[in-house]
Every structure is written in C-alpha cells, then in structure tokens.
Amino acid sequence: HNGFVTGDKKKLVGVLLNGLKGKIDVNGSSYSGEMPAWKGNLTNKQLADVATYIRNAWGNKADAVTEAEVAAYKP
C-alpha cells in the first residue's frame, strides 16, 4: 500500500530505469538509501513486468505497466 508504487506509473518507471539516491518520503515516513538503475540491464518488457508485479503484489491493486510506457519514458 505504497503510494509511490501504486501511484504515478511514470515515477516508478523512472526509478526502475535511472535508480534513486537520497531521501524519499513515503506514506509519512522518510527513507534514505540507494536503488540501483536497471536501464541497460533489463529490457523494457522485463522492467514493465517488474513494475506490474510490484504494483499488484502484497495487497496492491494498480494498473499494469506496459513495455510501451517504459519505452516512452522521458524525465
């Protein structure tokens, strides 16, 4: 039930592609760490599958992310 995961798909795709460093606030809690970038390591299809999985695992209910949405990502 993480709004970062189930919310705006573009934000999630951006983190999967480019990684994330530093502080992030999620559901009123702050976290600081590092998420590695997966661009170049996984295909757009694989990234879409990962995003879709986490958007629907652990009780989450969110729309799927498509390969086309990953390919079309622009920061």
Side-chain angles (χ1 to χ4, degrees):
H1 306 288
N2 178 330
F4 190 86
V5 170
T6 59
D8 183 1
K9 292 189 235 183
K10 185 176 177 179
K11 285 183 180 180
L12 179 59
V13 169
V15 169
L16 290 173
L17 285 169
N18 302 313
L20 181 67
K21 290 182 183 179
K23 183 182 169 192
I24 182 173
D25 293 318
V26 178
N27 296 339
S29 296
S30 294
Y31 301 91
S32 184
E34 186 171 339
M35 167 74 176
W38 292 98
K39 185 177 185 176
N41 295 306
L42 297 176
T43 66
N44 289 343
K45 170 74 168 109
Q46 290 170 320
L47 288 165
D49 288 346
V50 167
T52 297
Y53 175 78
I54 64 174
R55 285 172 59 85
N56 287 284
W58 308 290
N60 293 327
K61 302 282 186 239
D63 294 341
V65 175
T66 67
E67 182 178 359
E69 288 172 316
V70 175
Y73 174 81
K74 297 211 185 335

